[in-house]
Amino acid sequence: MGKKISVFTLSMMTVAAVVSLRGLPMMAKEGLSLIFYILFSTILFLIPASLVAAELGGAFSDKGGGVYTWVTEAFGSRWGFTAIWLQWIQNVVWYPTVLGFAASCLAYCFMRPALAENGVYTGAVILVCYWLATGLTLAGSNVSSFITKYGVLCGTVLPGVVIIVLGLLWIDQGNPIAFLDPAPLAGAAGHVAHSGAHARLFPHITGLGSVAFLAGIILLFAGVEVHAVHANELKDPARQFPECMFLAAAVIFLLFMLGSLAVAAVVPAADISLTAGLMQAFERLFNTFGIGFLTPVMGLLAAFGSIGGVMSWVGGPSRGLLETARQGEIPPFMAKVNRNGVQQNILLIQAVIVSLLAALYFIMDNVSVAFFVLSAMTVTLYLVMYILMYAAAIRLRRTRPDLPRSYKVPGGLPGMWLVAGTGLLGVLFSLVVGFFPPTNLPVGNPTLYVGLVAGGMVVFVGLPLVINASKKPGWRQAGK
């Protein structure tokens, strides 16, 4: 029998997979309404996804788990391949967003904050960092594990604790709280429009564009299914896994809420940059407390954490795609590995895609808009995968009720319908909202925005279906 893991260990693994500081500015831009967004994401997304993934992960742990297996068992290999493809490609689209955040942090490290709003600089940093990460992965280097391990601790945990503590000190010392006194924004005709932030818990809704950030915030909670395959490693999965998920959900909720409230308290909503908002808050806090010399240090640490996160993911999801290549789901040239046993062609293909997406930073006037377009594109792809996952869980409860499950969503088939159905509703609503340009960003041409998000979804969801339709029997033998 394998070594068992504790509730706390699995909870912290889940927290590490989900929590990232890059999302704090996006939530902070919503002022006090961020509490509503985080509650929505936790109740309608994080918890249902965790519980459904736990049941599926336990049921198919002997096959390695993962969305490819889960969806294939329910709907066949075409949709199983589509699910694992989407899990891979959304990560590829995600890289330019997290590296855009790293670029803004480095701008403060260089003591040139204005660079954070420079698209050419941001795009160049993304290209250099990503191709460097790809080169290290291809070389089979152990550098990535070192950067990942210390990146999480020094670049995510430490800055997260510091921003929360300093935010509380800022409030305790009687400094103005930005989200309680929002500054009015100038409307298109020069008159005063409603504020970008508002001292209210529920969003000020004037249309779906008013809640467009919900799609990007949902993305911050994604990834919880990655560790569901470890459900069987608990002593009592049926009892302990829900405990893991509720503990992880509570920690994620508190970290996101306190961290984003700290940013929202210090920086007025209208001034918050989606990429540099965290460093804007650190700069103001450090200068207020007379320790401004720490701003470049914190910029370096936050950038280190983000780059470490990318390093940890560059080789991971693409490894799953390599397995599908060996099984004949995609053309055999994608199964090619180099002398280090690394999936060479897949890594090069994803590096080219990242480079093309990074071009958005070069051609769009506003870095925050480019960041959000890529975030919206990422979330639409990931949400389609979650739709397949929820649908697979419901179908397998109906078609294979006797399948051994180490953990089962309680309540029988109605319980599964309730939990997975709740997740589906949250996902579908977020998916629709993701196509609406946010009203609190200077999007410019709304048609171009919608075209980019919709075009990305059509291309990246359509590709696996086209590849599957073109599949040849010889691919499997040739791919071995």
Side-chain angles (χ1 to χ4, degrees), residues 330-353:
I330 53 180
F333 79 88
M334 293 186 76
K336 183 178 180 181
V337 296
N338 64 11
R339 62 186 178 184
N340 299 309
V342 179
Q343 54 278 21
Q344 174 181 304
N345 287 356
I346 293 176
L347 286 179
L348 292 175
I349 288 169
Q350 72 180 28
V352 170
I353 296 172

Side-chain angles (χ1 to χ4, degrees), residues 299-343:
L300 180 62
L301 289 176
F304 179 56
S306 298
I307 293 169
V310 169
M311 291 287 293
S312 69
W313 284 93
V314 167
S318 58
R319 198 84 195 171
L321 202 64
L322 175 65
E323 290 305 312
T324 66
R326 288 171 171 167
Q327 294 167 24
E329 292 292 341
I330 53 180
F333 79 88
M334 293 186 76
K336 183 178 180 181
V337 296
N338 64 11
R339 62 186 178 184
N340 299 309
V342 179
Q343 54 278 21

